[in-house]
Amino acid sequence: MYKCQACVYVAQRQLPPARQSISEMLGLDATARFSPDFRYPPPVIDLYHAVRDSILSGQTPTMDIHTIAV
């Protein structure tokens, strides 16, 4: 739902509500993505990265390691 809202708001050039949709999406799931990227308009992907980066800038980065090679 949030991805569709963000796409519609960007298409209508309503960036504050688009940012809010993306922010709420990331609030529910911090790993949420627009995937695959090529299916979404570049302005939506750019806004997603900007919102995600602004949210993460206030947090300590964490490593997401699931496999260890020996």
Side-chain angles (χ1 to χ4, degrees), residues 4 7-9 12 15 18 21 28 32 39 42 47 51 55 57-58 68:
C4 293
C7 289
V8 170
Y9 286 135
Q12 294 175 345
L15 295 184
S21 292
L28 290 175
R39 291 191 179 208
L47 184 62
V51 171
I55 290 172
S57 68
I68 298 175

Side-chain angles (χ1 to χ4, degrees), residues 41-52:
V44 173
I45 300 302
D46 293 343
L47 184 62
Y48 163 77
H49 288 293
V51 171
R52 186 194 64 191

Side-chain angles (χ1 to χ4, degrees), residues 18-33:
R19 287 180 187 274
Q20 183 65 33
S21 292
I22 294 171
S23 180
E24 289 176 9
M25 176 182 78
L26 291 171
L28 290 175
D29 180 6
T31 63
R33 299 180 45 186

